[in-house]
Amino acid sequence: MLNYGDLVFLWSPRKGDSFLLKLSKGAVQGSRLGQLRHDDFVGHDYGDVVRSHSGEAFALLRPTLGEYTRRIKRNTQIVFPKEAGFVLMHLNIGPGSRVVECGTGSGGLTCVFAHFVGDEGHVYTYDRRQEFSELAMRNAERWGVADRISFKVRSLDEGFDERDVDAVFLDLPTPWDYIDKAREALAPGNRIAILVPTFNQIERTLDALRDNHFADPQVLEILLRYLKTDPRRIRPEDMMVGHTGYLIFASKSQEGLYDGVEQRRSRRGEDGAELEETPEA
Amino acid sequence: MLNYGDLVFLWSPRKGDSFLLKLSKGAVQGSRLGQLRHDDFVGHDYGDVVRSHSGEAFALLRPTLGEYTRRIKRNTQIVFPKEAGFVLMHLNIGPGSRVVECGTGSGGLTCVFAHFVGDEGHVYTYDRRQEFSELAMRNAERWGVADRISFKVRSLDEGFDERDVDAVFLDLPTPWDYIDKAREALAPGNRIAILVPTFNQIERTLDALRDNHFADPQVLEILLRYLKTDPRRIRPEDMMVGHTGYLIFASKSQEGLYDGVEQRRSRRGEDGAELEETPEA
Amino acid sequence: MLNYGDLVFLWSPRKGDSFLLKLSKGAVQGSRLGQLRHDDFVGHDYGDVVRSHSGEAFALLRPTLGEYTRRIKRNTQIVFPKEAGFVLMHLNIGPGSRVVECGTGSGGLTCVFAHFVGDEGHVYTYDRRQEFSELAMRNAERWGVADRISFKVRSLDEGFDERDVDAVFLDLPTPWDYIDKAREALAPGNRIAILVPTFNQIERTLDALRDNHFADPQVLEILLRYLKTDPRRIRPEDMMVGHTGYLIFASKSQEGLYDGVEQRRSRRGEDGAELEETPEA
Amino acid sequence: MLNYGDLVFLWSPRKGDSFLLKLSKGAVQGSRLGQLRHDDFVGHDYGDVVRSHSGEAFALLRPTLGEYTRRIKRNTQIVFPKEAGFVLMHLNIGPGSRVVECGTGSGGLTCVFAHFVGDEGHVYTYDRRQEFSELAMRNAERWGVADRISFKVRSLDEGFDERDVDAVFLDLPTPWDYIDKAREALAPGNRIAILVPTFNQIERTLDALRDNHFADPQVLEILLRYLKTDPRRIRPEDMMVGHTGYLIFASKSQEGLYDGVEQRRSRRGEDGAELEETPEA
């Protein structure tokens, strides 16, 4: 039976409008389908059909982690569920894992990590901006996973405090400057993931990964396309998100890995960006 | 220190060739870069640089769940990491969850669920084909999560044995025939995910979800594009996977949800497929 | 030297704002970068840098056909340049061709066909809605190709008047009802293109094409992704068009083509939508 | 009635196999559906159903320009129909146009331009490699448009011979070195298109376009996804082409266009690639 403090997800069959709320005594959520009064939902159970003050039906649902992170209170760009889920699969993360992350941002991915490492695991997240750390902490408390997270407010210049962690995630403007710090923290053979928004950042990140003896680099992007749900007129939505970022993965290995393997770095001229001759035309 | 029975992932910096092996006494893996003798790897640690019999370097890495499921022994189409990760985010799954699945197939997604529900959670997976169940069990043992899984070899015609589960996943040719069974198993307010390969299957599944009072239906597809990793010539790979399947999600609600909400089903004529007038032209 | 009646394309280097105008005596285009007075542009040449009344620079450019059709005055969904260009390549169209089209809609694709068939070619376009035909005619006059087009205001129920044409294009809600009419008009061995917005329409169109002895059916969709143009931060635009429509192509052949070739039509049951057993799971 | 020298496109309804042939006396094309003897097709008409020597039916169709360029004899990467069609729409090309191109490559796009400029137009194509020029000429003769093309075998270092052309297309490893030459050839207000395969090339090309007073830069990529054509199992093909290249467009304007408009070039440090502070994290 739902009570104050519980998270609920409300969805209207008429308009598809939806709201993710934490039930608070006396609180009211406005909507074009009538006022949603939190007090009316207390005592109900997940799955119930409830009504707005003007009588419109809503399904009262249990929020998913994906829905929660998509709607998280934020003052940064967030890591979206499509990337978060893929990262979960490709880092060595599971119940009991120790994960480090920088930067914290709004804490969406921090919550995801904390959700899946469980009570035996722990997440260490770094951000030099106090206000982000505080926002992320509130977001983690709301999802009920704050006690699995250490929030550290400082830059990465001195590196991470942790060693032998299961996974590292970097979401920074210049990740190439911190690959060595990530290397110090990560247990050998484990995997790092890095998110960058632009092409330009991929080049330098790949160079830094190789310089730091990381193996099996992969770069990828994920596109998500929703379809309209009218069964008689199935078609993709007219607009879709065209870009959130590029994910880069690699695994910590040792010096010597690339010995004798052709260095694919071009001969940069004095202007700093000399491309190699390309064979296409 | 690695020993027989451990899983390792080998990656060559020269060719990018890679192998996921379970170390077995005396076993040898052939490769175009020379024989990989399992005995040579015992006593090493994850992260080490090791060599094939002909002297080629390989990074000896810890396999990720994503890499494992991508390479799983299979005799069916598998659920790929990009979909598996998204499903994790959008079902109510985490350490401690109880999940039901049908069909088991090669057990890739079964392993993913079992990995993330941890020792306190459990996965119940159904398939009427004995040989699939056995293959999936071997795959789960290999990843070390078999004790978190109940394999049931029977059709879904009698429904699931479980009740009040946190999440249901269906991967069946005719999911619309089993939405009512899924409903019986699922706790109210929780979410189902369904994978179908064709457009044609989406229509009937959406109808069945509505008929069974499921709320918040979503249909989507995920596209994954890898990029080449030469830092001086960054570009997407020439070929990519164009399709794996459509994911359909919905949440269990109650009778009455759609009362008075226009049934979007068209007036089908006698030939069975009359489309409504479309406004495009 | 530009004069009244000429089409110009204005682009601002500061904001990227752009306008496609037909120069008219005394006309003024408002903009957030100041008024654009048509009279100021007369006497200039394409390529010149001109100024708004408040002094903002604009490049005065020659409009392309792509830009023109993207901005055409419309009261329907239009065929976008990405599809129009692909259709040009895959129908037997070029200078001198005779093309038939139904429906005319806002005339965007009609203009494209008329542009490329040149003075020796001709386009016959059908629409039962008088107001569309008139709008399309004005759009064609604006681009200067109206004299290469015959606008016919009637339904296709009696079929096309033309025979032995080089190409047919259909953009109709129920194209399957008119495949036989298209067949009558098209010269043997030539190709038809059909645009449909939904999955559901693809199925019946493919059936009708086969029933009418069309060969080499192809179905496809085209996705276009723009990138931001800041050279130091190259990345795709955040949002992109996720769907405009599916293009279906096929070539007119003869009775007997499919004799003995397994009819891939399923055994439909009485409810009209029985799927064949699918082998996936 | 078809005769020797005619181009035909053969398509099998059983397997979907297809062949694009120029009918030659005595020639035989092998296939897994039996020998295709050219002599058997002479005297037939486009659209006919013909047979291989072993009795398999083929539709005898008129080849489209798209199909022709997709199958062109090549020793380079080609410009694909999806890009060619888009370029047609966004350059000032039509019957009567004068177009310059560098490099010629295998001549696929050269044929496309020559096809659409008609007898009144002309294409000037440059390549420093004799063997490419010859191959392209043979490809153009095969499509019947060689007399509309001037093939020039030399590098672009001295620039183009032509002036005031309607459109320029560049497909070169270092297009930024030739933007000034393109500018000399292009009529003011007209548009250039450039194809590059890698991200790295986009940055320098955009810089060169701005330095040469080109307006309205656009960068984009086009993705084409084919669907399977079994009407009862409609779904995208399993594999698709993930990348062919990036198209860059811009229009020739004048000096002064960017005066006072913030130069979006970052403050590069001595290492040549200093990124601006990015606001993401």
Side-chain angles (χ1 to χ4, degrees), chain A residues 46-47 62-63 66 89 92-93 115 188-190 203 207 219 221 223 225 227 232-233 253 265 278 280, chain B residues 46-47 62-63 66 89 92-93 115 188-190 203 207 219 221 223 225 227 232-233 253 265 278 280:
Chain A
Y46 286 129
R62 185 187 299 271
M89 294 292 296
N92 287 301
I93 291 180
H115 179 97
N190 276 338
E203 182 176 2
D207 283 340
V219 185
E221 64 173 338
L223 290 165
R225 192 154 69 144
L227 278 66
R232 243 50 70 206
R233 297 187 42 70
S253 185
R265 194 160 301 178
T278 56
E280 269 76 12
Chain B
Y46 286 129
R62 185 188 299 271
M89 294 292 296
N92 288 302
I93 291 180
H115 179 96
N190 277 337
E203 183 175 3
D207 283 340
V219 186
E221 64 173 338
L223 290 165
R225 192 154 69 144
L227 278 66
R232 243 49 69 204
R233 298 187 43 68
S253 185
R265 195 161 297 179
T278 56
E280 270 75 13

Short mmCIF file of all heavy atoms in Angstrom, two decimals, chain A residues 46-47 62-63 66 89 92-93 115 188-190 203 207 219 221 223 225 227 232-233 253 265 278 280, chain B residues 46-47 62-63 66 89 92-93 115 188-190 203 207 219 221 223 225 227 232-233 253 265 278 280:
data_model
loop_
_atom_site.label_atom_id
_atom_site.label_comp_id
_atom_site.label_asym_id
_atom_site.label_seq_id
_atom_site.Cartn_x
_atom_site.Cartn_y
_atom_site.Cartn_z
N TYR A 46 0.38 -0.02 -6.42
CA TYR A 46 0.88 0.02 -7.80
C TYR A 46 -0.05 -0.81 -8.68
O TYR A 46 -0.51 -1.88 -8.28
CB TYR A 46 2.29 -0.55 -7.89
CG TYR A 46 3.37 0.35 -7.34
CD1 TYR A 46 4.30 -0.11 -6.42
CD2 TYR A 46 3.47 1.67 -7.78
CE1 TYR A 46 5.31 0.71 -5.93
CE2 TYR A 46 4.48 2.50 -7.29
CZ TYR A 46 5.39 2.02 -6.37
OH TYR A 46 6.38 2.83 -5.90
N GLY A 47 -0.31 -0.31 -9.86
CA GLY A 47 -1.18 -1.01 -10.80
C GLY A 47 -2.59 -0.45 -10.81
O GLY A 47 -3.32 -0.64 -11.79
N ARG A 62 4.74 1.50 -10.96
CA ARG A 62 6.02 1.54 -10.28
C ARG A 62 7.05 2.12 -11.27
O ARG A 62 7.17 1.64 -12.40
CB ARG A 62 6.45 0.12 -9.89
CG ARG A 62 7.73 0.06 -9.08
CD ARG A 62 8.19 -1.37 -8.88
NE ARG A 62 7.23 -2.20 -8.18
CZ ARG A 62 7.19 -2.33 -6.85
NH1 ARG A 62 8.07 -1.70 -6.10
NH2 ARG A 62 6.28 -3.10 -6.27
N PRO A 63 7.77 3.18 -10.90
CA PRO A 63 8.73 3.75 -11.85
C PRO A 63 9.89 2.79 -12.08
O PRO A 63 10.32 2.09 -11.16
CB PRO A 63 9.26 5.01 -11.14
CG PRO A 63 8.43 5.18 -9.92
CD PRO A 63 7.76 3.88 -9.61
N GLY A 66 15.06 3.25 -15.62
CA GLY A 66 15.21 3.96 -16.90
C GLY A 66 14.38 5.23 -16.93
O GLY A 66 14.84 6.30 -17.31
N MET A 89 26.48 -3.51 -19.39
CA MET A 89 26.80 -4.80 -20.01
C MET A 89 28.30 -4.94 -20.29
O MET A 89 28.82 -6.04 -20.35
CB MET A 89 26.04 -4.95 -21.33
CG MET A 89 24.54 -5.05 -21.21
SD MET A 89 24.01 -6.60 -20.40
CE MET A 89 24.57 -7.81 -21.60
N ASN A 92 32.78 -4.42 -15.99
CA ASN A 92 32.64 -5.53 -15.07
C ASN A 92 31.88 -5.08 -13.82
O ASN A 92 32.47 -4.85 -12.78
CB ASN A 92 34.02 -6.11 -14.74
CG ASN A 92 34.56 -6.87 -15.94
OD1 ASN A 92 33.95 -7.83 -16.39
ND2 ASN A 92 35.68 -6.42 -16.48
N ILE A 93 30.59 -4.93 -14.00
CA ILE A 93 29.70 -4.42 -12.96
C ILE A 93 28.62 -5.44 -12.67
O ILE A 93 28.08 -6.06 -13.57
CB ILE A 93 29.06 -3.09 -13.41
CG1 ILE A 93 30.12 -2.00 -13.47
CG2 ILE A 93 27.93 -2.69 -12.48
CD1 ILE A 93 29.60 -0.66 -13.90
N HIS A 115 22.38 1.34 -8.16
CA HIS A 115 21.25 0.41 -8.21
C HIS A 115 21.74 -1.01 -8.42
O HIS A 115 21.30 -1.94 -7.73
CB HIS A 115 20.32 0.85 -9.34
CG HIS A 115 19.12 -0.01 -9.55
ND1 HIS A 115 17.88 0.29 -9.02
CD2 HIS A 115 18.94 -1.17 -10.23
CE1 HIS A 115 17.01 -0.64 -9.37
NE2 HIS A 115 17.63 -1.54 -10.11
N PRO A 188 43.79 -4.61 -12.92
CA PRO A 188 44.28 -5.07 -14.21
C PRO A 188 43.27 -5.96 -14.92
O PRO A 188 42.59 -6.76 -14.28
CB PRO A 188 45.54 -5.88 -13.84
CG PRO A 188 45.97 -5.34 -12.53
CD PRO A 188 44.71 -4.95 -11.81
N GLY A 189 43.20 -5.79 -16.24
CA GLY A 189 42.30 -6.61 -17.04
C GLY A 189 40.87 -6.10 -17.07
O GLY A 189 40.05 -6.62 -17.82
N ASN A 190 40.58 -5.06 -16.28
CA ASN A 190 39.22 -4.53 -16.24
C ASN A 190 39.03 -3.38 -17.23
O ASN A 190 39.98 -2.90 -17.84
CB ASN A 190 38.86 -4.10 -14.82
CG ASN A 190 38.36 -5.31 -14.03
OD1 ASN A 190 37.92 -6.30 -14.60
ND2 ASN A 190 38.46 -5.24 -12.71
N GLU A 203 39.64 11.31 -31.06
CA GLU A 203 41.01 11.13 -31.53
C GLU A 203 42.00 11.15 -30.36
O GLU A 203 42.80 10.22 -30.20
CB GLU A 203 41.35 12.24 -32.54
CG GLU A 203 42.74 12.13 -33.12
CD GLU A 203 43.00 13.17 -34.19
OE1 GLU A 203 42.09 14.01 -34.46
OE2 GLU A 203 44.10 13.16 -34.79
N ASP A 207 44.33 8.05 -28.55
CA ASP A 207 45.79 8.16 -28.39
C ASP A 207 46.20 7.92 -26.93
O ASP A 207 47.14 7.17 -26.65
CB ASP A 207 46.28 9.54 -28.83
CG ASP A 207 46.33 9.66 -30.36
OD1 ASP A 207 46.38 8.63 -31.05
OD2 ASP A 207 46.33 10.80 -30.85
N VAL A 219 34.88 2.07 -30.06
CA VAL A 219 34.16 3.35 -30.10
C VAL A 219 32.82 3.07 -30.76
O VAL A 219 32.78 2.38 -31.78
CB VAL A 219 34.92 4.42 -30.90
CG1 VAL A 219 34.20 5.77 -30.80
CG2 VAL A 219 36.36 4.54 -30.44
N GLU A 221 28.38 4.41 -31.16
CA GLU A 221 27.25 5.26 -30.79
C GLU A 221 25.98 4.42 -30.87
O GLU A 221 25.90 3.46 -31.62
CB GLU A 221 27.15 6.48 -31.71
CG GLU A 221 26.86 6.15 -33.14
CD GLU A 221 26.59 7.39 -33.99
OE1 GLU A 221 26.22 8.44 -33.47
OE2 GLU A 221 26.76 7.27 -35.21
N LEU A 223 21.81 4.53 -31.35
CA LEU A 223 20.65 5.29 -31.78
C LEU A 223 19.39 4.57 -31.34
O LEU A 223 19.27 3.36 -31.50
CB LEU A 223 20.65 5.44 -33.31
CG LEU A 223 21.74 6.37 -33.86
CD1 LEU A 223 21.90 6.19 -35.36
CD2 LEU A 223 21.38 7.83 -33.56
N ARG A 225 15.22 4.54 -31.59
CA ARG A 225 14.09 5.08 -32.33
C ARG A 225 12.79 4.53 -31.77
O ARG A 225 12.58 3.33 -31.77
CB ARG A 225 14.24 4.73 -33.81
CG ARG A 225 13.28 5.49 -34.68
CD ARG A 225 13.80 5.65 -36.08
NE ARG A 225 13.84 4.40 -36.80
CZ ARG A 225 13.57 4.29 -38.10
NH1 ARG A 225 13.28 5.36 -38.82
NH2 ARG A 225 13.63 3.15 -38.68
N LEU A 227 8.72 4.01 -31.84
CA LEU A 227 7.66 3.89 -32.83
C LEU A 227 6.35 4.36 -32.22
O LEU A 227 6.13 4.24 -31.01
CB LEU A 227 7.51 2.43 -33.27
CG LEU A 227 8.48 1.91 -34.33
CD1 LEU A 227 9.90 1.88 -33.81
CD2 LEU A 227 8.08 0.53 -34.80
N ARG A 232 -2.77 0.22 -35.83
CA ARG A 232 -3.17 0.23 -37.24
C ARG A 232 -2.29 1.16 -38.08
O ARG A 232 -2.43 1.22 -39.29
CB ARG A 232 -4.64 0.64 -37.37
CG ARG A 232 -5.54 -0.41 -37.96
CD ARG A 232 -5.41 -1.78 -37.31
NE ARG A 232 -5.95 -1.79 -35.97
CZ ARG A 232 -5.55 -2.63 -35.04
NH1 ARG A 232 -4.61 -3.53 -35.26
NH2 ARG A 232 -6.07 -2.57 -33.83
N ARG A 233 -1.43 1.91 -37.43
CA ARG A 233 -0.59 2.85 -38.18
C ARG A 233 0.82 2.85 -37.57
O ARG A 233 1.31 3.86 -37.09
CB ARG A 233 -1.18 4.27 -38.15
CG ARG A 233 -2.55 4.34 -38.84
CD ARG A 233 -3.09 5.76 -38.98
NE ARG A 233 -2.10 6.71 -39.39
CZ ARG A 233 -1.53 6.77 -40.60
NH1 ARG A 233 -1.90 5.90 -41.53
NH2 ARG A 233 -0.63 7.67 -40.85
N SER A 253 45.70 -3.08 -19.70
CA SER A 253 46.69 -4.14 -19.86
C SER A 253 48.05 -3.59 -19.43
O SER A 253 48.10 -2.70 -18.57
CB SER A 253 46.68 -4.65 -21.30
OG SER A 253 47.54 -5.76 -21.44
N ARG A 265 49.77 6.69 -35.33
CA ARG A 265 49.71 8.14 -35.19
C ARG A 265 50.35 8.81 -36.40
O ARG A 265 51.42 8.41 -36.85
CB ARG A 265 50.46 8.54 -33.92
CG ARG A 265 50.18 9.96 -33.51
CD ARG A 265 50.50 10.17 -32.06
NE ARG A 265 49.71 9.27 -31.21
CZ ARG A 265 49.82 9.21 -29.90
NH1 ARG A 265 50.69 9.98 -29.28
NH2 ARG A 265 49.07 8.40 -29.20
N THR A 278 45.50 9.99 -47.33
CA THR A 278 44.43 9.01 -47.26
C THR A 278 44.30 8.35 -48.63
O THR A 278 44.45 9.01 -49.66
CB THR A 278 43.11 9.67 -46.87
OG1 THR A 278 42.84 10.71 -47.80
CG2 THR A 278 43.17 10.23 -45.47
N GLU A 280 41.79 7.08 -50.29
CA GLU A 280 40.47 6.90 -50.94
C GLU A 280 40.44 7.32 -52.40
O GLU A 280 39.74 6.73 -53.21
CB GLU A 280 39.38 7.68 -50.20
CG GLU A 280 38.72 6.86 -49.15
CD GLU A 280 39.62 6.74 -47.95
OE1 GLU A 280 40.61 7.48 -47.90
OE2 GLU A 280 39.34 5.91 -47.07
N TYR B 46 44.89 -11.40 -14.77
CA TYR B 46 44.18 -10.52 -15.72
C TYR B 46 45.03 -9.27 -15.94
O TYR B 46 45.61 -8.72 -14.99
CB TYR B 46 42.82 -10.13 -15.18
CG TYR B 46 41.78 -11.23 -15.24
CD1 TYR B 46 41.03 -11.56 -14.12
CD2 TYR B 46 41.53 -11.92 -16.42
CE1 TYR B 46 40.05 -12.55 -14.16
CE2 TYR B 46 40.55 -12.92 -16.47
CZ TYR B 46 39.83 -13.22 -15.35
OH TYR B 46 38.87 -14.20 -15.40
N GLY B 47 45.07 -8.81 -17.16
CA GLY B 47 45.84 -7.61 -17.48
C GLY B 47 47.19 -7.93 -18.09
O GLY B 47 47.77 -7.08 -18.78
N ARG B 62 39.82 -9.70 -18.41
CA ARG B 62 38.63 -10.27 -17.77
C ARG B 62 37.45 -10.08 -18.72
O ARG B 62 37.20 -8.96 -19.18
CB ARG B 62 38.37 -9.52 -16.46
CG ARG B 62 37.23 -10.10 -15.63
CD ARG B 62 36.88 -9.21 -14.44
NE ARG B 62 37.99 -9.04 -13.53
CZ ARG B 62 38.24 -9.85 -12.49
NH1 ARG B 62 37.45 -10.86 -12.25
NH2 ARG B 62 39.28 -9.63 -11.71
N PRO B 63 36.73 -11.13 -19.03
CA PRO B 63 35.60 -10.96 -19.97
C PRO B 63 34.47 -10.16 -19.31
O PRO B 63 34.23 -10.31 -18.11
CB PRO B 63 35.11 -12.39 -20.23
CG PRO B 63 36.09 -13.31 -19.59
CD PRO B 63 36.88 -12.53 -18.59
N GLY B 66 28.82 -8.39 -21.42
CA GLY B 66 28.45 -8.07 -22.79
C GLY B 66 29.20 -8.93 -23.79
O GLY B 66 28.61 -9.47 -24.73
N MET B 89 17.39 -1.57 -17.82
CA MET B 89 17.05 -0.23 -17.34
C MET B 89 15.55 -0.03 -17.23
O MET B 89 15.09 0.79 -16.44
CB MET B 89 17.61 0.82 -18.30
CG MET B 89 19.11 0.91 -18.37
SD MET B 89 19.86 1.52 -16.84
CE MET B 89 19.17 3.19 -16.78
N ASN B 92 11.72 -3.58 -13.84
CA ASN B 92 12.07 -3.38 -12.43
C ASN B 92 12.97 -4.51 -11.95
O ASN B 92 12.54 -5.43 -11.25
CB ASN B 92 10.79 -3.26 -11.60
CG ASN B 92 10.11 -1.92 -11.85
OD1 ASN B 92 10.72 -0.88 -11.64
ND2 ASN B 92 8.91 -1.95 -12.38
N ILE B 93 14.22 -4.43 -12.39
CA ILE B 93 15.21 -5.46 -12.12
C ILE B 93 16.39 -4.84 -11.38
O ILE B 93 16.83 -3.74 -11.70
CB ILE B 93 15.69 -6.09 -13.44
CG1 ILE B 93 14.58 -6.92 -14.06
CG2 ILE B 93 16.93 -6.95 -13.21
CD1 ILE B 93 14.96 -7.59 -15.35
N HIS B 115 22.83 -12.51 -13.65
CA HIS B 115 23.99 -11.73 -13.22
C HIS B 115 23.57 -10.56 -12.33
O HIS B 115 24.16 -10.32 -11.28
CB HIS B 115 24.71 -11.22 -14.47
CG HIS B 115 25.91 -10.38 -14.21
ND1 HIS B 115 27.19 -10.88 -14.21
CD2 HIS B 115 26.05 -9.05 -13.95
CE1 HIS B 115 28.06 -9.91 -13.94
NE2 HIS B 115 27.39 -8.78 -13.80
N PRO B 188 1.34 -6.18 -9.84
CA PRO B 188 0.67 -4.99 -10.39
C PRO B 188 1.62 -3.79 -10.45
O PRO B 188 2.46 -3.61 -9.57
CB PRO B 188 -0.46 -4.73 -9.39
CG PRO B 188 -0.71 -6.04 -8.73
CD PRO B 188 0.62 -6.73 -8.67
N GLY B 189 1.51 -3.03 -11.53
CA GLY B 189 2.33 -1.83 -11.68
C GLY B 189 3.70 -2.10 -12.27
O GLY B 189 4.42 -1.16 -12.59
N ASN B 190 4.03 -3.38 -12.44
CA ASN B 190 5.34 -3.72 -12.99
C ASN B 190 5.31 -3.89 -14.50
O ASN B 190 4.26 -3.89 -15.11
CB ASN B 190 5.90 -4.97 -12.30
CG ASN B 190 6.57 -4.59 -10.99
OD1 ASN B 190 6.99 -3.45 -10.81
ND2 ASN B 190 6.66 -5.55 -10.07
N GLU B 203 1.80 -5.25 -34.34
CA GLU B 203 0.38 -4.89 -34.33
C GLU B 203 -0.42 -5.75 -33.36
O GLU B 203 -1.13 -5.23 -32.50
CB GLU B 203 -0.17 -5.04 -35.76
CG GLU B 203 -1.62 -4.63 -35.90
CD GLU B 203 -2.09 -4.66 -37.35
OE1 GLU B 203 -1.29 -5.04 -38.23
OE2 GLU B 203 -3.26 -4.31 -37.59
N ASP B 207 -2.27 -4.86 -29.61
CA ASP B 207 -3.69 -5.13 -29.35
C ASP B 207 -3.86 -5.97 -28.08
O ASP B 207 -4.71 -5.67 -27.23
CB ASP B 207 -4.32 -5.85 -30.54
CG ASP B 207 -4.61 -4.92 -31.70
OD1 ASP B 207 -4.69 -3.70 -31.49
OD2 ASP B 207 -4.74 -5.41 -32.84
N VAL B 219 7.17 1.10 -28.05
CA VAL B 219 7.80 0.24 -29.05
C VAL B 219 9.03 0.98 -29.54
O VAL B 219 8.97 2.19 -29.79
CB VAL B 219 6.87 -0.05 -30.24
CG1 VAL B 219 7.51 -1.05 -31.19
CG2 VAL B 219 5.52 -0.54 -29.77
N GLU B 221 13.29 0.53 -31.39
CA GLU B 221 14.40 -0.28 -31.87
C GLU B 221 15.69 0.47 -31.55
O GLU B 221 15.71 1.69 -31.44
CB GLU B 221 14.30 -0.55 -33.37
CG GLU B 221 14.39 0.69 -34.21
CD GLU B 221 14.46 0.40 -35.71
OE1 GLU B 221 14.85 -0.70 -36.10
OE2 GLU B 221 14.10 1.32 -36.48
N LEU B 223 19.74 0.95 -32.58
CA LEU B 223 20.78 0.75 -33.59
C LEU B 223 22.12 1.06 -32.96
O LEU B 223 22.29 2.06 -32.28
CB LEU B 223 20.54 1.68 -34.78
CG LEU B 223 19.33 1.31 -35.65
CD1 LEU B 223 18.95 2.45 -36.58
CD2 LEU B 223 19.63 0.06 -36.47
N ARG B 225 26.21 1.50 -33.74
CA ARG B 225 27.18 1.68 -34.81
C ARG B 225 28.57 1.77 -34.23
O ARG B 225 28.85 2.65 -33.43
CB ARG B 225 26.82 2.93 -35.61
CG ARG B 225 27.60 3.02 -36.90
CD ARG B 225 26.88 3.82 -37.95
NE ARG B 225 26.81 5.22 -37.60
CZ ARG B 225 26.88 6.20 -38.49
NH1 ARG B 225 27.01 5.94 -39.78
NH2 ARG B 225 26.78 7.44 -38.12
N LEU B 227 32.61 2.44 -34.53
CA LEU B 227 33.52 3.27 -35.31
C LEU B 227 34.88 2.58 -35.39
O LEU B 227 35.28 1.85 -34.47
CB LEU B 227 33.70 4.64 -34.64
CG LEU B 227 32.62 5.69 -34.91
CD1 LEU B 227 31.28 5.27 -34.31
CD2 LEU B 227 33.03 7.04 -34.34
N ARG B 232 43.62 8.56 -36.51
CA ARG B 232 43.79 9.54 -37.59
C ARG B 232 42.74 9.36 -38.68
O ARG B 232 42.71 10.13 -39.65
CB ARG B 232 45.21 9.41 -38.18
CG ARG B 232 46.07 10.65 -38.03
CD ARG B 232 46.10 11.21 -36.64
NE ARG B 232 46.81 10.33 -35.72
CZ ARG B 232 46.63 10.30 -34.42
NH1 ARG B 232 45.76 11.10 -33.84
NH2 ARG B 232 47.29 9.47 -33.66
N ARG B 233 41.96 8.35 -38.60
CA ARG B 233 40.96 8.10 -39.64
C ARG B 233 39.66 7.61 -38.99
O ARG B 233 39.16 6.54 -39.29
CB ARG B 233 41.48 7.07 -40.65
CG ARG B 233 42.73 7.54 -41.40
CD ARG B 233 43.17 6.62 -42.53
NE ARG B 233 42.06 6.15 -43.34
CZ ARG B 233 41.32 6.91 -44.14
NH1 ARG B 233 41.59 8.20 -44.26
NH2 ARG B 233 40.34 6.39 -44.82
N SER B 253 -1.66 -2.81 -15.47
CA SER B 253 -2.60 -2.00 -14.73
C SER B 253 -3.92 -2.79 -14.59
O SER B 253 -3.87 -4.02 -14.56
CB SER B 253 -2.79 -0.65 -15.42
OG SER B 253 -3.61 0.20 -14.65
N ARG B 265 -8.52 0.61 -32.86
CA ARG B 265 -8.56 -0.50 -33.81
C ARG B 265 -9.39 -0.12 -35.03
O ARG B 265 -10.46 0.45 -34.90
CB ARG B 265 -9.15 -1.72 -33.11
CG ARG B 265 -8.90 -3.01 -33.88
CD ARG B 265 -9.07 -4.20 -32.97
NE ARG B 265 -8.10 -4.17 -31.89
CZ ARG B 265 -8.04 -5.10 -30.94
NH1 ARG B 265 -8.89 -6.09 -30.94
NH2 ARG B 265 -7.13 -5.03 -30.01
N THR B 278 -6.09 7.04 -44.38
CA THR B 278 -4.93 7.75 -43.85
C THR B 278 -4.91 9.16 -44.41
O THR B 278 -5.31 9.38 -45.55
CB THR B 278 -3.62 7.03 -44.24
OG1 THR B 278 -3.60 6.92 -45.65
CG2 THR B 278 -3.55 5.66 -43.61
N GLU B 280 -2.52 11.21 -45.17
CA GLU B 280 -1.29 11.79 -45.75
C GLU B 280 -1.47 12.45 -47.11
O GLU B 280 -0.81 13.42 -47.44
CB GLU B 280 -0.19 10.73 -45.89
CG GLU B 280 0.67 10.63 -44.67
CD GLU B 280 -0.07 9.91 -43.56
OE1 GLU B 280 -1.11 9.30 -43.86
OE2 GLU B 280 0.37 9.95 -42.41
#
